[in-house]
Amino acid sequence: MQNSKDRPKEEASLKQANLEVENHGTKNVRYPHRLNFYEKPPLGDITIEEFETCALDRLRILAEIESSFVRNRPWDELMKITEAQCGKYLQLNSNSAHTLGLDAQRRKDHVGHYVLRLAFCRSEELRRRFVKAETTLFRVRYDRDDWGERDVFLKSRDFGWEELSEEEKQAHEKELVAASAWMNSRDVDPMKDRYYKVKWTRVPDLVEKRRVLLKGGMAWVPSREQSSIVFQEFQTTLAKALEMTAKALPFLDEDTRIVPILNNLSQGFLAGVSSEWSTATAGSGDELTADMIDDMAKKHFPACMRNLHECLRRDKHLKHFGRLQYGLFLKVLGLSIDEAITFWRRSFSNLQDDKFNKEYRYNIRHSYGLEGKRANYPAKSCQQILTSDQPGTGDSHGCPYRHFSPDNLQTALLSMYSNQGLTSADLPDIMHAVKANHFHVACTRVFEITHARQGVAKGEGVGGGESATHPNQYAARSRELEREKEGVNAKKEEDGDVVMMG
Amino acid sequence: MLAFYKRLYPYKSIFGWLNHEHVPTKRWTHREWAFTLPPDTYVRYQSFADAEDLKKQVCQLNPTRFEIGPVYSAKPRDRKTVRAANFTPQLRELVFDIDMTDYDEIRTCCSGADICSRCWAFIAVAVRVLDKSIRDQFGYKHLLWVYSGRRGIHLWISDKEAMELTDEQRRALVGNLTVIQGGKEMKKKVNVRQGTKPPPPSISTALGFLSKRFAEIILDDQDCFAQEDGWEVLLQLLPVSDQVRRGWRAKWEVKPLSSSAKWDAVKTEAKKNEAIMLPAMEDIVLQYTYPRLDAEVSKHRNHLLKAPFCIHPKTGRVCVPVDPSTIDDFNPERVPTVGQLLRELDEVGANPSGEGAERHSGRSHFTSLGKAAILITTALRADWQRTSLKPYVDMLDKHVAALMDEVRRAKREAGPGESAEHVL
C-alpha cells in the first residue's frame, strides 16, 4: 500500500514541523481535482497551529454528518446541511469557480483528512465511524461535483472496471432490463446505456438489493450506479489505510506536541454526539421488580414491546432476537439483573430449571455485561429495530408497524390499546402513516391517542413535538406522564427527566 | 460412538477438504474446532497440527459432535497468548443452513424435529435452486452439500474467493438470496418486485422450475390449501376484491375441495385481471417453494457449523455429503446410522481382506509420523471402505481432488517461490 511506505516520511515531516513554512510546491497545480481519494499523504512542512485548525474544521463537518445520521435526516437535508458546514469551515471549489487559492483549499482538505486519520485510527469503533462519516462527505461532494470534472477525476484513477461489449449487451438485453426493474422503465435502455463489469464483492450494496445482474461472480453495473463502485472503493481503501495507520501509530508516541492534539480530537468526536439511550431510570428512585412488568406493559409499553410481552405470555418462550430486544429494553427500563433472572425464569414456565440455567441464564447475564466481553449493551433504538436483524419466520421481534401485515397490525393495536382510548376511528390515520413507511410517526400517533387522558394533544409527540425514536423514550415519557398526573413529587421529577429527553 | 470415530471417521478426507493441500497450511493449523461433550460442556478454540492430532483428541474426548469454525490469524489453541486484536477470523468457507423448522408453517405432513421423505421435497427444491443460483450468479464451483443428520442440509463453499469474503459481503450475498422475509404476523413474505414488474432475473429463472414443483408438492402432495387455516392464508395473499374472497370462502367452507381445484379457481379468476393477478400468483409460488435460509449462519465468519460425517446425537445418522444432481432421490431415512455401520464392520471383520490397505498407502502424506501411523491410517481407510459409508467418503474425496487441483494450478501460475503461506 502506497501510504504505508510513505508514512515514516510523513511523520518525519510532521516532526520537523516548525514555525511558518508554507508549502513550496514544485508544480503550479498540486491538486488537479476537487475530489480526492487521499491515497498519498501530504508532504511538506506545516505549523502545529495549521495542523490543528485543518483537523478541527474538518471535524466540525464530520460531527454534523454523524448527528444527521442519529437524527435520521433524509439524504437531501443531510446534503444541504453538510454543504452549509463545508462553506463555513472548508471551502472546496470546483475548477470552474476560478477563485484564487484552489490549491490551498484542497491542501487544507487533504491535510485535515490525514490528521484525523491519525486521531481516529486507534480503535475499531472510531475507525468505523470515521470511515462512515468520511465516505458520506465524499458522497456529498461527488453528487454535487461538476459532471465533466467528475469524469476527469474518474479517469485519473484505475478502478479496475471493464466495459460491457455490445455483443454481451445484445445477448442479455432482456435480463438487463429486468435487473433494472426498480428504475423508471422509460429510462432503461441497455443498448444505449453503458455497463461496467466488476467483481460482485465491490458492490455488495447493489447485490444485496438485487439491483444488478450477476454473472459468474461479476456484477454488471449500469453507468448510473457507477457511483456505487466509487463509494465502495473509497470506503475499502480508507478502512484498509486506517488499519495500517493504527499499526504505525506507536512510532508517534514520543512526540509531545502532536499526541495531545490527537487525543483531544478523538475525544471531541466521541463527546460531540451521543447516539445511545443510556440507563435512564437509574436516578428516579423507584426500583422495578419482576411482578410489576405485566402491569407496566399494559400501561406504558410501545407496540413492539407489548407484542413481545404478549408473545412471551402466550408461548412461554421467545426466540433469540426477541429475548435480546425485550431484555435490553427491560434493563434500561430499570430492571435489575436479579429481577431480570426472576422475570425470565417465571416467564419460561414450561422449562426445567436445569435447561434454563444452562441455556438462558448466561445470555441474560451477558446482556447485563456480566459475562463474556462484559460490554454494557444499550437497548435497541427504533432505527436498529427497524433495520437490523429482520424477523424471520416464527420470530416475534421487530417493529409491528413495519413487520406486521396491515390487517394484523390493526387487530393488534385495537386489542392492545383499546382500554387506553384507541378506537377503530383512529386507525385510518395511523395506517396512513404506516403506508407511507413513516413507522415512527404511526407509533407517535398511537402514543398521543393513548395518552390523551393525561392531556397529550395531537402533534405534541413524546414531549415537545418530538416523535418516538426509541422504545425506552416512549416508555419513559409514558411513566413520567403518569407520575405527573399522580402529582408525586412532580416538580423534581420533571426537571430530571427533561434533561434526559434531550 | 467412540468406535465410529476411532475406526470409521474419514479424518484424512476432512483434512484435505479444509486444507486444500497435502502439507498442513494455516487453513488447517489455525482452524477453530469446537467439541460438544456429554452431558453438555462446550469446548471451543481447539486447533490441531494435522489429521492425526485431531483424531487423537476426538478419541480422547469422545464428543457427541464437533464443529468447524474459521481460520484465525493465530492458532486458536494459543488464543490466550496473543492480543485480542491479533486474533481475528481471516478465512472461512461460505456456509448455508436450510432447516425444516422454517417450513413448519407450510408443511402439513410433519412439524418440529420430525422429517419424512415427503417433506424432504422442500429441501430438494431448495438445494436445486440455491445450487444453480450460486454457481450462475456468483461463479463459485466448489460446493459441498451435507445432510445435517436430522431435518436439514448444510452447504459449504470452499472457493478461494468465497473463503475470503468479509462479513459485510456475506451479508450482502445472503440478502441477495433471501426472498422470504417477515415474522409470524406478516402474511405476505415475498417482496421482490417493483409494483407488478417482473422480478429480478435470478428469481425469474428459478420461477419456471418452481411453478412446476409448486403444483407437485404444494398442491398435490402437501395439499396446503385443504384446511381452513391453509386456504385462509391463500385468500389473504391474493389481490382480489372482498366480494370474490367472501364468495370463495363460503364455497370452500361448505364443500371440501382439493388444493389444486382451489388453485384452478384462482387461475380462472386471474384471467379477468392478469396484470395484477399473475405477479401475485408468482409471489405465492415463491413464498411456498423458494429456499428458506437460516441467514444468521451465513453472515458471520466465526459461526461454527457441525463437521461433515459427524453423527447426529438424536438420530444416530451420519452427516453425509449429498450430490445435488440426485437430490430428489435422496432419502434421509436411508442414510446409514452409526449402529448399522458398526454392524457391517463386525460382519466383514470376521472375514478380513487386506487389499484396501495397500491401494491407498502410497497417497498418505504422514511421512514424518513413521510407519506405525501410516499403518493406522491405511487400516482406517480399509475400514470405511468395507461399509456403506464408502460412496459418501468417495464423494468427498472427489470433491477434495477437484479443490486440490485448482490450488495446484493457481500455485503454478503464481510461479515459483509463491506458496499458499504467503497468500494467507
Side-chain angles (χ1 to χ4, degrees):
Chain A
M1 189 102 273
Q2 175 83 35
N3 49 23
S4 72
K5 271 187 220 149
D6 287 345
R7 179 144 309 282
K9 231 197 261 173
E10 186 210 1
E11 275 155 20
S13 67
L14 290 175
K15 279 183 186 172
Q16 282 165 15
N18 248 327
L19 287 169
E20 32 59 80
V21 194
E22 250 300 307
N23 84 75
H24 22 69
T26 44
K27 275 183 240 157
N28 277 340
V29 187
R30 295 180 80 188
Y31 301 98
H33 311 292
R34 179 169 169 260
L35 295 169
N36 192 341
F37 253 69
Y38 309 107
E39 284 173 300
K40 289 183 191 144
L43 299 174
D45 300 339
I46 66 165
T47 63
I48 280 286
E49 285 77 32
E50 200 190 352
F51 182 88
E52 195 172 358
T53 1
C54 286
L56 272 177
D57 284 347
R58 192 183 191 85
L59 186 60
R60 290 208 173 93
I61 297 166
L62 297 188
E64 195 55 46
I65 291 177
E66 264 227 328
S67 91
S68 296
F69 281 131
V70 174
R71 290 190 202 153
N72 226 344
R73 284 195 185 124
W75 177 247
D76 291 341
E77 207 174 303
L78 183 149
M79 199 133 107
K80 248 190 234 143
I81 288 170
T82 314
E83 285 203 309
Q85 288 278 321
C86 284
K88 251 192 265 170
Y89 298 110
L90 187 57
Q91 269 295 354
L92 202 60
N93 288 324
S94 62
N95 291 342
S96 55
H98 292 302
T99 28
L100 284 172
L102 276 184
D103 247 15
Q105 283 180 358
R106 289 172 191 179
R107 179 168 170 273
K108 185 180 177 190
D109 175 60
H110 194 191
V111 171
H113 172 87
Y114 265 90
V115 176
L116 291 188
R117 271 197 193 185
L118 291 174
F120 294 119
C121 65
R122 44 188 70 192
S123 81
E124 175 84 40
E125 158 84 1
L126 281 175
R127 283 200 293 266
R128 195 179 50 74
R129 289 169 57 184
F130 181 66
V131 170
K132 192 171 175 197
E134 275 285 342
T135 313
T136 313
L137 178 60
F138 181 83
R139 244 184 101 177
V140 170
R141 289 174 174 174
Y142 184 95
D143 281 358
R144 278 298 155 92
D145 207 16
D146 179 82
W147 275 70
E149 282 182 44
R150 189 160 81 189
D151 266 358
V152 177
F153 168 73
L154 292 180
K155 285 208 181 89
S156 72
R157 193 183 178 282
D158 181 18
F159 284 90
W161 52 44
E162 184 193 330
E163 209 170 313
L164 204 63
S165 70
E166 288 300 314
E167 295 80 60
E168 279 172 312
K169 268 199 240 170
Q170 247 150 26
H172 300 281
E173 187 178 353
K174 268 211 183 107
E175 287 169 277
L176 286 171
V177 173
S180 304
W182 47 274
M183 290 189 322
N184 200 332
S185 37
R186 276 198 313 262
D187 303 338
V188 183
D189 183 0
M191 297 319 290
K192 275 196 207 134
D193 238 347
R194 276 192 294 181
Y195 283 80
Y196 299 92
K197 273 201 262 186
V198 288
K199 277 248 172 298
W200 77 264
T201 45
R202 291 183 49 191
V203 282
D205 54 329
L206 298 181
V207 171
E208 183 164 14
K209 293 185 212 127
R210 289 187 280 263
R211 284 165 76 144
V212 281
L213 186 60
L214 286 164
K215 288 273 173 207
M218 303 301 269
W220 293 10
V221 185
S223 58
R224 70 175 60 209
E225 290 293 317
Q226 191 189 26
S227 53
S228 208
I229 310 177
V230 179
F231 301 148
Q232 191 67 32
E233 183 76 11
F234 182 89
Q235 196 176 335
T236 37
T237 12
L238 180 55
K240 262 191 216 150
L242 278 181
E243 270 174 46
M244 217 84 91
T245 315
K247 279 178 195 156
L249 198 64
F251 298 112
L252 255 183
D253 265 359
E254 301 122 50
D255 197 303
T256 50
R257 293 166 304 168
I258 292 176
V259 173
I261 295 178
L262 295 181
N263 284 340
N264 191 23
L265 286 173
S266 49
Q267 281 301 315
F269 204 33
L270 279 179
V273 206
S274 91
S275 54
E276 286 153 1
W277 184 266
S278 51
T279 314
T281 36
S284 63
D286 44 355
E287 278 300 306
L288 204 56
T289 61
D291 2 274
M292 288 158 70
I293 305 286
D294 267 322
D295 186 46
M296 289 267 291
K298 286 201 191 85
K299 282 201 282 192
H300 302 302
F301 286 8
C304 48
M305 300 302 167
R306 280 287 295 263
N307 176 48
L308 281 167
H309 188 78
E310 277 159 27
C311 286
L312 178 63
R313 288 285 173 257
R314 187 186 62 216
D315 304 338
K316 316 235 179 302
H317 193 261
L318 278 182
K319 289 189 146 190
H320 172 76
F321 283 114
R323 295 199 298 274
L324 196 67
Q325 182 179 329
Y326 195 37
L328 290 174
F329 168 80
L330 292 177
K331 178 177 91 167
V332 173
L333 202 63
L335 199 66
S336 69
I337 174 65
D338 294 331
E339 289 297 326
I341 300 255
T342 318
F343 171 75
W344 289 104
R345 180 66 204 101
R346 280 191 208 151
S347 305
F348 292 174
S349 52
N350 287 342
L351 282 185
Q352 301 290 320
D353 260 343
D354 191 39
K355 191 169 159 79
F356 179 82
N357 284 337
K358 261 173 214 146
E359 292 176 23
Y360 298 98
R361 183 184 292 266
Y362 179 91
N363 276 338
I364 299 168
R365 290 177 52 82
H366 190 267
S367 67
Y368 275 77
L370 297 167
E371 302 280 1
K373 68 171 175 181
R374 295 178 180 262
N376 187 13
Y377 298 97
K380 295 198 185 256
S381 67
C382 292
Q383 202 186 349
Q384 283 170 303
I385 293 172
L386 283 167
T387 55
S388 56
D389 308 318
Q390 298 296 304
T393 47
D395 275 332
S396 315
H397 67 277
C399 169
Y401 298 100
R402 167 161 193 188
H403 298 118
F404 279 25
S405 307
D407 287 357
N408 290 4
L409 176 61
Q410 299 188 33
T411 325
L413 286 177
L414 282 178
S415 84
M416 283 178 194
Y417 293 116
S418 55
N419 57 355
Q420 281 168 279
L422 185 123
T423 63
S424 43
D426 299 317
L427 289 176
D429 199 13
I430 298 166
M431 296 314 288
H432 182 72
V434 170
K435 260 194 204 119
N437 285 351
H438 295 315
F439 308 112
H440 59 287
V441 174
C443 187
T444 310
R445 186 73 199 111
V446 169
F447 182 91
E448 289 163 359
I449 295 166
T450 53
H451 293 79
R453 290 175 200 166
Q454 276 108 328
V456 176
K458 187 172 178 177
E460 209 168 288
V462 291
E466 256 189 73
S467 55
T469 54
H470 198 297
N472 282 100
Q473 166 207 28
Y474 184 111
R477 178 68 185 155
S478 175
R479 290 175 75 190
E480 187 190 310
L481 283 169
E482 186 189 52
R483 275 197 296 265
E484 266 174 30
K485 183 127 202 216
E486 283 168 5
V488 184
N489 51 23
K491 189 88 181 114
K492 220 170 124 200
E493 282 290 327
E494 195 188 12
D495 289 349
D497 280 353
V498 165
V499 177
M500 221 172 60
M501 305 305 304
Chain B
M1 198 89 99
L2 187 57
F4 173 83
Y5 287 123
K6 247 185 189 151
R7 301 186 60 187
L8 289 171
Y9 193 84
Y11 294 97
K12 207 186 139 191
S13 310
I14 293 285
F15 169 85
W17 170 59
L18 293 175
N19 191 52
H20 303 191
E21 288 177 65
H22 290 296
V23 185
T25 65
K26 283 183 182 172
R27 276 186 291 262
W28 177 268
T29 57
H30 291 196
R31 173 82 69 168
E32 177 186 357
W33 292 79
F35 295 91
T36 309
L37 306 177
D40 35 33
T41 315
Y42 196 56
V43 195
R44 282 194 62 181
Y45 300 116
Q46 301 292 298
S47 62
F48 304 99
D50 50 40
E52 209 47 40
D53 196 14
L54 167 67
K55 182 182 174 189
K56 220 164 54 197
Q57 181 79 322
V58 170
C59 294
Q60 198 189 346
L61 290 176
N62 189 18
T64 44
R65 61 182 205 170
F66 44 90
E67 292 176 317
I68 301 173
V71 177
Y72 281 93
S73 48
K75 283 182 189 157
R77 237 200 307 212
D78 307 336
R79 180 177 60 106
K80 295 246 166 77
T81 64
V82 295
R83 280 202 310 162
N86 294 335
F87 187 73
T88 49
Q90 308 279 305
L91 297 175
R92 161 70 154 152
E93 285 80 9
L94 175 61
V95 293
F96 290 91
D97 181 10
I98 304 173
D99 195 295
M100 214 55 231
T101 39
D102 287 324
Y103 289 84
D104 273 353
E105 52 169 10
I106 48 175
R107 60 176 174 163
T108 56
C109 49
C110 322
S111 73
D114 299 326
I115 184 165
C116 66
S117 52
R118 282 175 60 207
C119 35
W120 185 259
F122 284 110
I123 301 275
V125 169
V127 168
R128 288 265 165 143
V129 171
L130 210 57
D131 195 78
K132 184 170 163 42
S133 177
I134 287 174
R135 284 174 204 269
D136 290 356
Q137 284 202 83
F138 296 98
Y140 298 136
K141 289 191 296 252
H142 302 284
L143 280 66
L144 183 72
W145 289 94
V146 181
Y147 173 52
S148 74
R150 184 157 65 176
R151 58 183 172 192
I153 197 157
H154 299 160
L155 168 62
W156 300 74
I157 305 178
S158 306
D159 291 64
K160 184 167 174 289
E161 278 170 23
M163 302 225 11
E164 285 167 354
L165 293 179
T166 62
D167 286 359
E168 193 203 353
Q169 290 161 343
R170 281 165 210 253
R171 204 163 29 243
L173 189 145
V174 172
N176 181 279
L177 295 171
T178 305
V179 162
I180 292 145
Q181 261 174 330
K184 259 185 211 165
E185 304 291 337
M186 182 58 99
K187 283 185 192 115
K188 185 164 164 41
K189 295 187 161 89
V190 174
N191 256 317
V192 291
R193 59 177 95 229
Q194 294 287 315
T196 54
K197 287 189 196 172
S202 60
I203 294 172
S204 18
T205 324
L207 257 174
F209 169 70
L210 289 177
S211 4
K212 215 167 88 225
R213 301 314 304 264
F214 177 80
E216 290 165 22
I217 301 170
I218 304 299
L219 300 181
D220 296 341
D221 190 53
Q222 295 275 342
D223 210 356
C224 285
F225 309 132
Q227 302 301 319
E228 179 170 350
D229 45 351
W231 53 255
E232 193 53 45
V233 177
L234 174 66
L235 288 184
Q236 298 295 334
L237 288 173
L238 288 166
V240 289
S241 67
D242 274 346
Q243 197 188 346
V244 176
R245 211 173 276 145
R246 266 199 302 275
W248 276 335
R249 199 174 282 143
K251 243 186 254 166
W252 296 349
E253 263 165 5
V254 181
K255 187 165 121 239
L257 211 58
S258 78
S259 292
S260 54
K262 290 191 180 106
W263 189 248
D264 286 339
V266 173
K267 276 189 195 156
T268 320
E269 179 71 24
K271 293 217 175 79
K272 291 182 201 154
N273 190 357
E274 291 195 332
I276 303 271
M277 285 295 278
L278 292 186
M281 287 167 71
E282 281 178 3
D283 283 354
I284 293 171
V285 170
L286 289 174
Q287 177 154 341
Y288 279 85
T289 53
Y290 201 86
R292 298 178 168 219
L293 301 172
D294 185 345
E296 291 310 313
V297 177
S298 314
K299 284 181 186 167
H300 302 285
R301 275 171 293 191
N302 58 0
H303 198 101
L304 294 148
L305 196 64
K306 191 157 47 140
F309 289 102
C310 270
I311 292 164
H312 193 286
K314 294 264 163 50
T315 61
R317 289 190 199 285
V318 183
C319 304
V320 293
V322 181
D323 181 357
S325 62
T326 56
I327 183 80
D328 295 309
D329 307 322
F330 182 85
N331 183 350
E333 284 156 8
R334 282 209 298 269
V335 169
T337 63
V338 61
Q340 174 199 341
L341 289 170
L342 293 176
R343 254 194 322 279
E344 285 172 9
L345 205 55
D346 284 345
E347 279 160 24
V348 287
N351 178 19
S353 69
E355 28 175 335
E358 294 304 316
R359 209 183 307 145
H360 285 274
S361 56
R363 264 174 54 193
S364 171
H365 63 277
F366 300 114
T367 44
S368 61
L369 291 173
K371 233 178 179 177
I374 292 176
L375 277 179
I376 296 171
T377 344
T378 47
L380 268 176
R381 288 206 153 258
D383 271 349
W384 60 252
Q385 289 213 325
R386 282 175 287 169
T387 65
S388 44
L389 204 57
K390 182 176 185 315
Y392 299 107
V393 181
D394 286 344
M395 204 189 293
L396 177 59
D397 281 341
K398 219 172 105 194
H399 179 78
V400 173
L403 246 178
M404 290 190 167
D405 248 18
E406 179 154 315
V407 172
R408 252 199 308 274
R409 215 175 315 126
K411 260 183 155 181
R412 211 176 304 134
E413 275 163 26
E418 187 75 36
S419 83
E421 297 293 315
H422 289 130
V423 177
L424 280 174

